[in-house]
Amino acid sequence: MAARFKMKRKGVGELLRSDMIRGDLVRRAQEIESVAVALSPVGGAGDPHPGTYKSSWGVDSKKRGGRRRDRAVAYVRNTAYYARWVEYGTERVPAHHVLLRAAQAGGGDG
């Protein structure tokens, strides 16, 4: 006899908010964070904030997130006020794309 499956929206919602899914998202975010820390540039002798960018990475998660607040989410963030300039660059500073490269390298299964 063939197995039967009937999907219920409520059950899918419970799955998307489950501790199992949230735990896996946090694990992946922590992998991305560790790669981002390793890739983070540290300023030289003239830098007024040497190492601040590298030490400002963190992981955050919520049980209800996303656009419709219907699923677990995990975020990798850098709290240094100049993090966007390091990531995307400026007229004088080239873009480093630390978070982009970290997500590409550390976000997969492993």
Side-chain angles (χ1 to χ4, degrees):
M1 175 154 207
R4 300 186 83 168
F5 171 76
K6 183 172 181 175
M7 186 179 84
K8 293 185 180 180
R9 292 178 74 90
K10 183 179 178 184
V12 172
E14 289 174 7
L15 175 66
L16 291 175
R17 290 183 301 277
S18 71
D19 290 335
M20 175 185 66
I21 297 294
R22 186 175 181 186
D24 188 56
L25 291 172
V26 168
R27 181 189 59 80
R28 288 172 183 253
Q30 289 170 338
E31 289 176 14
I32 292 170
E33 177 194 28
S34 67
V35 174
V37 168
L39 294 174
S40 293
V42 178
D47 186 356
H49 311 290
T52 301
Y53 179 79
K54 187 173 192 144
S55 65
S56 296
W57 288 103
V59 171
D60 183 17
S61 73
K62 294 179 182 180
K63 196 166 193 169
R64 287 189 173 266
R67 196 175 87 205
R68 293 184 293 205
R69 305 186 52 73
D70 62 347
R71 63 195 64 216
V73 294
Y75 302 98
V76 180
R77 294 188 172 134
N78 190 302
T79 58
Y81 74 91
Y82 53 87
R84 75 178 70 150
W85 300 320
V86 175
E87 184 71 19
Y88 301 114
T90 66
E91 292 175 354
R92 294 185 220 158
V93 179
H96 289 278
H97 299 298
V98 175
L99 188 55
L100 173 66
R101 294 185 297 148
Q104 289 171 338
D109 291 321

